[in-house]
Amino acid sequence: MINITLPDGSVRQYEKGTTAYQIALSISEGLARNVLAAEVNGEVWDASRPIEADASVKLLTWNDTAGKSTFWHSSAHLMAEALEALYPGTKFGIGPAIETGFYYDVDFGDREFSSDDFKQIEDKIIELAKAKSDYVRQPVSKAEAVEYFTEKGDEYKLDLIKDLPDGSITFYTQGNFTDLCRGPHIPNTGFVKAVKLMNVAGAYWRGDESRKQLTRIYGVTFPKASELSEYLKMIEEAKKRDHRKLGKELELFAFSEKVGMGLPLWLPKGTALREKLVNFLQRAQVKAGYEQVITPHIGHKNLYVTSGHYDKYGADSFQPIKTPQEGEEFFLKPMNCPHHCEIYKTKPRSYKDLPVRFAEFGTVYRYEQSGELHGLTRVRGFTQDDAHLFCRPDQVKEEFKKVIDLVLYVFGALGFDNFTAQVSLRDPANKTKYIGTDENWSLAESAIIEAAAEKGLPTVVELGEAAFYGPKLDFMVKDALGRKWQLGTIQVDYNLPERFELEYTGSDNQKHRPVMIHRAPFGSLERFVAVLIEHCAGNFPLWLAPEQFIILPISEKYEDYAKKVLESLNNSDIRGMIDLRDEKIGRKIRDAEVKKIPYMLIIGEKEEAEGKVSLRKHGQGDLGSMTAEEFRNQLIKEITV
């Protein structure tokens, strides 16, 4: 017998060789019908794979992230089977699950392929799914794997096999299709009830532009047809909320090929929005004891060699800037933290001085591949609301908790109330990716876990997601459409203070090393604005709206009165403008609605005679008439609330 520990801590005994499906069946038939896979000692397995020793087991369903991933990876195999049936001779690259479904990279040879072929493939996938074919795992030797794909004539699988050690290779077969795959997979194809192919794109084999470009087909599947319908509705709503579309309509930002890909230009209205965010956080930081600093956009190469950024990212970043001085090289700043370490070193520090908190809205530059650029969410130049706290070891947890409070304050003010805190730790199986000692990593990870627990945050733990210099707490926010975004982040770092030889004099009159906390509640201002636009569909909170009102005179006869109203309102530190175009009032109202301006003040003969304005609210319509002073008081009260 073996002992199986379930997530609730209970321990059950089963015969050696039992499967996760059999464990589920012993609990309830309903659970067994829904089990897609299982986590066995933290590793995801097929539900049909025998468990030979004592283990901790978590049964995975569609409601689990790992369950969905298994479902979608299995769907990629099912799509490949459909493609092979419809287009004999097709060759296959890789077909992983992704956050929104799956894709498979395919070589159709000389055959033309487009989205016009999607319907035929979708129908074939559902036909194959109804066969309820089992996904069968088979360990094979390297020689057997090479023989199989040589006979099949699939050079892409052979290219993958050559990097795999003998004894680690497995095939998976469902129906008439066999693939090279580590797995795991769902029990059978019958779980797939609905499919939609979403997109087709090109992708170089192994990301190498010198190699053949394959056809990448994206798809998504669901265990219920109704869930696909809901998903497609969400996709349509997401298109309406796309920050690139709204950013253009609301005149917030633009891109220029002459300026360069991935380098956003902030237009006047976008700049007003951005400055409001900056001022909002700056006020909160001053109250929390931060000091504002400014650092250059470039730094000497040696700065990033010292920090470790050059070794980790130098080859993939913007290349060095050479000066007339022989051998002298500078880099566009990829991070603010090395600069802040040098600011810390400008004078001796005592234990009584700590914590020291430096904050900067610093623009940094990273060379993202052109295919990965996407609006404001993936750019080459972006501004971080960066701050670095230097504290004594005994202050780390308390400072970390204060930063959590600041992040929660920011989220609350902007309506992000659905989030999970992700504790991102080092991958214990691959420590070469990180710098620093095991002791320092242990101290840093413990501080984060304890601080998050004491603040009562809902947390998940992800191994391998830490920064190269330290673990972190990432805030994964769900927007109004239920999509997950990584926004704020807090990181504990024992390593950069070592590399920069930072010191303070302790109460024992000896030199000690401070601990560094990196934090950015917004993360990237560009990315944060993109997420905010899509979250609120461009209907910004009133305090943040670039234009809080617009005055709409019915004709040019009332422009002088409109200007008087605007002057009285602008003197009250609220933002608005007059629409002086020679357009009918109906057109002006429609345009103001499209631009999502919160309030419209309509002025005509009656309003001028009574010294009032007729008020409309975006999305709600007519609110009656009032004086400019009454509107100003109402607006200020609403902003304050």
Side-chain angles (χ1 to χ4, degrees), residues 159 266 418 485 528 581:
D159 192 26
W266 289 91
N418 188 352
W485 304 86
F528 192 89
R581 296 177 302 157

Side-chain angles (χ1 to χ4, degrees), residues 105-149:
D105 288 342
V106 180
D107 184 352
F108 287 107
D110 296 330
R111 186 180 292 108
E112 293 292 326
F113 183 85
S114 73
S115 57
D116 294 338
D117 301 302
F118 282 0
K119 180 65 168 61
Q120 181 185 23
I121 299 166
E122 290 166 354
D123 291 343
K124 188 66 176 178
I125 290 172
I126 293 301
E127 175 192 325
L128 295 170
K130 288 177 178 177
K132 298 184 178 180
S133 301
D134 291 340
Y135 285 88
V136 180
R137 181 177 185 269
Q138 178 191 359
V140 295
S141 68
K142 191 164 187 172
E144 289 172 321
V146 169
E147 181 183 3
Y148 178 84
F149 284 106

Side-chain angles (χ1 to χ4, degrees), residues 387-457:
H388 297 95
L389 295 74
F390 301 88
C391 55
R392 304 189 308 265
D394 63 292
Q395 295 172 320
V396 171
K397 188 164 70 173
E398 192 60 34
E399 284 300 303
F400 200 94
K401 287 159 67 175
K402 287 178 181 177
V403 177
I404 290 174
D405 289 336
L406 182 61
V407 173
L408 298 184
Y409 170 68
V410 170
F411 287 178
L414 293 162
F416 290 113
D417 51 12
N418 188 352
F419 65 86
T420 300
Q422 177 179 298
V423 181
S424 300
L425 305 179
R426 184 172 59 160
D427 181 357
N430 189 8
K431 294 181 180 179
T432 58
K433 291 165 50 180
Y434 312 94
I435 60 175
T437 65
D438 288 346
E439 179 186 7
N440 283 347
W441 273 90
S442 178
L443 289 169
E445 289 178 345
S446 296
I448 289 178
I449 292 168
E450 290 173 15
E454 289 177 21
K455 297 303 296 184
L457 291 179

Side-chain angles (χ1 to χ4, degrees), residues 377 475-477 479 483-487 527 531 534:
T377 60
F475 288 82
M476 314 303 291
V477 175
D479 67 13
R483 299 170 302 178
K484 190 166 66 173
W485 304 86
Q486 190 267 309
L487 292 181
R527 192 164 184 271
V531 175
E534 299 195 7

Side-chain angles (χ1 to χ4, degrees), residues 363-603:
T363 302
V364 297
Y365 303 89
R366 299 176 193 171
Y367 188 80
E368 301 286 356
Q369 296 297 320
S370 58
E372 296 177 346
L373 298 174
H374 182 83
L376 292 181
T377 60
R378 201 73 179 263
V379 290
R380 288 174 173 168
F382 57 94
T383 302
Q384 292 181 309
D385 59 322
D386 230 349
H388 297 95
L389 295 74
F390 301 88
C391 55
R392 304 189 308 265
D394 63 292
Q395 295 172 320
V396 171
K397 188 164 70 173
E398 192 60 34
E399 284 300 303
F400 200 94
K401 287 159 67 175
K402 287 178 181 177
V403 177
I404 290 174
D405 289 336
L406 182 61
V407 173
L408 298 184
Y409 170 68
V410 170
F411 287 178
L414 293 162
F416 290 113
D417 51 12
N418 188 352
F419 65 86
T420 300
Q422 177 179 298
V423 181
S424 300
L425 305 179
R426 184 172 59 160
D427 181 357
N430 189 8
K431 294 181 180 179
T432 58
K433 291 165 50 180
Y434 312 94
I435 60 175
T437 65
D438 288 346
E439 179 186 7
N440 283 347
W441 273 90
S442 178
L443 289 169
E445 289 178 345
S446 296
I448 289 178
I449 292 168
E450 290 173 15
E454 289 177 21
K455 297 303 296 184
L457 291 179
T459 58
V460 295
V461 175
E462 291 289 344
L463 297 177
E465 293 298 316
F468 76 91
Y469 50 76
K472 55 183 180 169
L473 189 69
D474 291 324
F475 288 82
M476 314 303 291
V477 175
K478 279 191 176 180
D479 67 13
L481 297 181
R483 299 170 302 178
K484 190 166 66 173
W485 304 86
Q486 190 267 309
L487 292 181
T489 185
I490 318 172
Q491 304 165 3
V492 176
D493 182 0
Y494 282 78
N495 294 309
L496 283 187
E498 290 274 358
R499 297 177 78 95
F500 280 92
E501 299 180 341
L502 305 185
E503 295 178 336
Y504 67 90
T505 303
S507 58
D508 58 359
N509 213 32
Q510 300 298 310
K511 297 296 183 183
H512 298 272
R513 195 78 74 204
V515 182
M516 194 171 174
I517 296 176
H518 308 241
R519 60 105 276 219
F522 293 147
S524 148
L525 267 172
E526 282 71 13
R527 192 164 184 271
F528 192 89
V529 169
V531 175
L532 181 62
I533 290 170
E534 299 195 7
H535 178 59
C536 65
N539 297 302
F540 300 111
L542 184 60
W543 68 271
L544 194 55
E547 294 169 336
Q548 294 164 327
F549 66 88
I550 187 168
I551 301 172
L552 309 177
I554 289 175
S555 75
E556 64 181 15
K557 290 189 296 184
Y558 309 108
E559 287 180 5
D560 288 342
Y561 177 57
K563 290 174 182 176
K564 289 179 182 177
V565 171
L566 179 62
E567 185 179 354
S568 69
L569 294 174
N570 282 347
N571 287 338
S572 303
D573 195 28
I574 54 180
R575 302 178 299 281
M577 60 177 289
I578 306 174
D579 186 343
L580 295 174
R581 296 177 302 157
D582 185 19
E583 295 282 0
K584 292 185 182 299
I585 191 64
R587 174 62 183 272
K588 290 183 177 183
I589 291 172
R590 285 194 299 275
D591 289 349
E593 287 283 355
V594 168
K595 292 181 178 178
K596 303 179 186 292
I597 299 172
Y599 287 103
M600 288 157 267
L601 282 59
I602 300 167
I603 288 175

